[in-house]
Each structure stands twice: as C-alpha cells, then as structure tokens.
Amino acid sequence: MNPTDMLLAGDAEPFALKSAALALLLAFGLTQVLGAVYVWTFRGMSYSQGLVHAIVLGSIIACMLMLAIGGSIAAGLGIAGGLAIVRFRTALRDPRDMIFVFAGLGTGIAAGLGAHAAAFCGTALFCLAVWLLTLSEFGSQRRFDGLLRFQLPIGADEEPVMKLLRQYSRFLALVTLREVAQGEAMEHAYQVRLGDPRHRAALVRALEELPGVQDVSLLLQEPTVEI
C-alpha cells in the first residue's frame, strides 16, 4: 500500500467513527422525545417505565445493527438469523404501546442507514400526530358503562326496579341472575349505560329506597381508561 492509500485509510476510520457516533446519538435523542411524548399523552392505569426505556434502548440497538450491516447482504442475513433465535414473549396490552416501540425502532433504523432527515422529520411528525390525537380525543366515545348489582327477595315485584333502571340508563342488559341467601333472594347483575355519570349516586339511593332491594353496588368505568 502506497503512502497515499494509507493516509486515506487513516482518514476514513475517524470519519466512520464520527458518522456512527452521530447516528447513535441522533437515534438516542429522537427517541428521548418519543418517550417524553408517550409519558405526556399516556392515558390509563397500567403505566410501565420499562416500556419507555424499551422505546429508547430499542432505537440504539436498531441503529447499531444497521451500522453493522452496512451494505453487506451476508451480514444482514446473519443478524436476521441471530435475532430469529431470540424469542420476545412480552405482550403489549395496548396497540398504542406497540406503535411507540415500532416508532422507536424505525427511528433507529433510519438513523443507522444515514437517513437523518427522514429520522428527524418522521419523529417530529409522529410526535405532532400523537399530540393532536390526544388533544382532540379523536376516536373516543364518551360513554359511561357500569355493572349494577343488587339483591331482591324471591317473588318480589320487579317492575318498579326495571322502571327506575330505564329512567336513569340509556342501555340496560341482564348479565347474571343467581340465588343467594340460601335461596331466599336473587342477585341481579345488569350492565347499564348512564347518560350522565352524575346520576350514579341518585340511582343507587333510589334503588335502596325501593322495598326489598338490598346490597346495591355500582361499578362505573369510562371506556377511554383501561383498568
């Protein structure tokens, strides 16, 4: 190798190192933004810090793999075969969580392939779309479904109870009906949909005032919040 080739090879190695460091830092920084947007827009009760970490760390791994593969088909097949051995058994309950993980991987892949503009613009548009969908509550249905339970003596007139339930609820369906208190009463369980959640206390009080009705309980759940 002549001195010129040795000089070019020496210059190429620091350039490759800087390029790889830039791609990894870009993937890390952009997915930090993705993780922050996920935390800010999260709705529900099953929050997982590990998922936020997975979004960020997954992008670094994806970027590293893309840098290692480069333009080599053989390297790509080898890495694909190695990943096929690993079985990821973590189940994501919310499709939104899966999309965020996929967005993190996509950001890492774009950064590793050198498509920095695509990585930056794609992340910015994704975060903007998530923020707008959360702000507008797009796709949500403002319904308040609940499970109403109460006990009624066997042989008691159910018409006053049904009239009261139809008065307060927009939708009513019998879920279960079983004997309790050694066969002296029946436990009724109804799925109800209230037009206004503020009427829940009035419904419970009105049921308790009916003759024979006992052990009234009402569990309400807003469909936009997962329990």
Side-chain angles (χ1 to χ4, degrees):
M1 180 180 295
N2 57 47
T4 304
D5 293 337
M6 293 178 61
L7 181 61
L8 291 176
D11 292 339
E13 185 174 353
F15 177 77
L17 182 61
K18 292 179 182 179
S19 178
L22 175 62
L24 290 168
L25 289 175
L26 180 63
F28 176 73
L30 291 178
T31 47
Q32 285 276 6
V33 178
L34 282 177
V37 171
Y38 175 83
V39 174
W40 293 337
T41 60
F42 177 79
R43 299 292 183 270
M45 301 184 65
S46 56
Y47 173 78
S48 173
Q49 184 184 15
L51 179 63
V52 181
H53 291 178
I55 294 173
V56 178
L57 297 177
S59 71
I60 298 177
I61 297 174
C63 181
M64 179 178 61
L65 292 177
M66 292 300 103
L67 290 172
I69 291 173
S72 174
I73 299 178
L77 293 177
I79 291 177
L83 292 177
I85 301 175
V86 182
R87 297 183 180 273
F88 300 96
R89 298 185 179 274
T90 302
L92 298 177
R93 299 175 58 185
D94 192 346
R96 185 175 179 273
D97 296 346
M98 178 187 64
I99 291 298
F100 266 91
V101 172
F102 189 64
L105 294 176
T107 301
I109 291 173
L113 292 176
H116 298 166
F120 182 82
C121 295
T123 302
L125 180 58
F126 180 84
C127 293
L128 178 63
V130 171
W131 181 75
L132 289 176
L133 291 175
T134 305
L135 184 65
S136 63
E137 296 186 355
F138 179 79
S140 66
Q141 295 182 353
R142 305 301 296 180
R143 300 183 315 186
F144 295 88
D145 295 332
L147 183 64
L148 176 66
R149 293 182 182 272
F150 59 88
Q151 294 183 11
L152 197 62
I154 292 180
D157 186 12
E158 298 182 9
E159 184 58 30
V161 177
M162 299 304 300
K163 182 179 179 181
L164 183 64
L165 294 181
R166 286 191 290 266
Q167 176 184 348
Y168 281 93
S169 60
R170 292 182 177 179
F171 173 80
L172 182 66
L174 180 64
V175 179
T176 59
L177 182 64
R178 64 188 183 94
E179 290 186 359
V180 293
Q182 298 180 351
E184 296 182 359
M186 299 291 291
E187 183 185 62
H188 300 248
Y190 283 92
Q191 179 187 357
V192 295
R193 181 176 302 157
L194 302 182
D196 190 341
R198 293 174 296 182
H199 294 162
R200 57 185 182 273
L203 172 60
V204 172
R205 285 196 302 266
L207 279 174
E208 291 175 339
E209 293 174 357
L210 292 178
V213 178
Q214 298 178 348
D215 297 334
V216 181
S217 65
L218 176 61
L219 174 63
L220 279 183
Q221 176 183 348
E222 186 179 354
T224 56
V225 177
E226 180 184 1
I227 297 179

